[in-house]
């Protein structure tokens, strides 16, 4: 574990918090805001996001030396790498760590609205906003945001941030990939006998059917004819038999179908990340 107190003793004292100051995470003007404070800011960001959390005394001391007032709660935001060059490290109500393979932003609550701030800092980039948790739980918020980012949940070209709170079931399923794959194999194993494209269409149709409750609504969701949906459901009934309509199996099917979709997204996301790293190495 990092000895935060020992590491921090090497730095000069940062600007203290002005008494009565109302803005959490307040930073001085850009001319003086990060000059000479990069290392203390990095230590503070690391201390806030590590698990298990650092003690309150350590956080307060690091925040004082970095000149950044601690808020009661924080959103942790995971951003797709690499971060653009030249971004500021902090500002009123936020603190960022742009270096490395997993850039992130901490946003104070109460403080700036995440969507507006992220649109200014990272326009058009995939970002996932973790829930606003107590500051000692910022590491948990960041871990959840990074997990969801790795699953590539949301549109390929997002119009704004993806919020963890809108995808809690997906996050829950992603906590144990081995267990999730076991459920997928146990409940959806018969699909492996089909050609991959057919299995994917059938799984997509089944999930939409379970979630919508009717062939007509499923057809609207998938942009196909209702008769196509009915044909696929009959196929699924032949493959899975009576279990498909057993109430006690319904939850297992829904979880497994969502899990199948999530694991496919995760594989594609990892492959895309590996391709980006390969291209980066070749261009270096």
């Amino acid at each position: 574990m990092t000895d935060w107190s020992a590491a921090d003793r090497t730095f000069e004292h940062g600007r203290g918090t002005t008494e009565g100051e109302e803005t959490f995470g307040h930073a001085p003007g850009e001319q003086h805001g990060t000059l000479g404070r990069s290392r203390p800011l990095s230590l503070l960001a690391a201390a806030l996001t590590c698990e298990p959390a650092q003690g309150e005394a350590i956080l307060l001391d690091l925040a004082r030396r970095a000149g950044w007032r601690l808020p009661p709660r924080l959103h942790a935001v995971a951003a797709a790498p690499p971060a653009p060059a030249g971004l500021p490290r902090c500002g009123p109500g936020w603190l960022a760590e742009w270096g490395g393979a997993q850039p992130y932003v901490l946003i104070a609550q109460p403080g700036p609205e995440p969507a507006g701030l992220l649109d200014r800092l990272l326009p058009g980039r995939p970002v996932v906003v973790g829930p606003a948790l107590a500051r000692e739980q910022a590491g948990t918020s960041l871990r959840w945001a990074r997990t969801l980012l790795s699953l590539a949940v949301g549109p390929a070209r997002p119009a704004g941030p993806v919020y963890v709170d809108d995808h809690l079931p997906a996050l829950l399923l992603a906590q144990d990939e081995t267990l999730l794959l076991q459920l997928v194999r146990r409940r959806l194993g018969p699909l492996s006998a089909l050609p991959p494209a057919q299995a994917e269409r059938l799984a997509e149709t089944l999930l939409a059917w379970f979630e919508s409750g009717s062939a007509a609504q499923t057809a609207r969701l998938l942009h196909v004819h209702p008769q196509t949906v009915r044909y696929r459901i009959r196929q699924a009934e032949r493959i899975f038999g009576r279990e498909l309509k057993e109430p006690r199996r319904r939850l297992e099917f829904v979880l497994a179908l969502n899990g199948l979709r999530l694991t496919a997204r995760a594989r594609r996301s990892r492959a895309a990340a590996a391709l980006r790293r390969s291209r980066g190495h070749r261009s270096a």
Side-chain angles (χ1 to χ4, degrees), residues 15-93:
R15 183 185 68 92
T17 301
T18 302
E19 188 172 351
E21 181 180 352
E22 294 297 325
T23 304
F24 290 108
H26 176 78
E30 199 60 37
Q31 182 178 357
H32 305 290
T34 57
L35 185 61
R37 296 169 59 220
S38 180
R39 182 66 172 161
L41 286 168
S42 290
L43 280 173
L44 175 59
L48 283 166
T49 56
C50 71
E51 294 184 281
Q54 293 297 312
E56 185 73 358
I58 292 176
L59 293 178
L60 288 171
D61 185 52
L62 287 172
R64 177 181 61 81
R65 293 173 180 266
W68 202 80
R69 188 183 178 194
L70 286 176
R73 294 176 295 124
L74 287 161
H75 287 286
V77 180
L87 289 175
R89 289 292 308 280
C90 65

Side-chain angles (χ1 to χ4, degrees), residues 225-244:
H225 195 278
Q227 191 58 33
T228 301
V229 172
R230 295 186 186 97
Y231 171 74
R232 291 177 185 174
I233 296 303
R234 286 196 296 271
Q235 277 187 309
E237 289 172 342
R238 288 195 295 269
I239 293 170
F240 294 106
R242 290 181 300 176
E243 286 191 336
L244 198 63

Side-chain angles (χ1 to χ4, degrees), residues 58-144:
I58 292 176
L59 293 178
L60 288 171
D61 185 52
L62 287 172
R64 177 181 61 81
R65 293 173 180 266
W68 202 80
R69 188 183 178 194
L70 286 176
R73 294 176 295 124
L74 287 161
H75 287 286
V77 180
L87 289 175
R89 289 292 308 280
C90 65
W94 64 274
L95 168 67
E97 188 63 68
W98 301 122
Q102 295 182 306
Y104 61 91
V105 186
L106 300 176
I107 303 177
Q109 287 298 305
E113 198 278 319
L117 174 63
L118 294 168
D119 186 56
R120 293 193 300 273
L121 289 173
L122 300 165
R125 281 182 170 267
V127 291
V128 176
V129 181
L133 301 180
R135 62 192 181 206
E136 63 271 17
Q137 295 179 299
T140 299
S141 181
L142 181 58
R143 174 164 49 85
W144 291 350

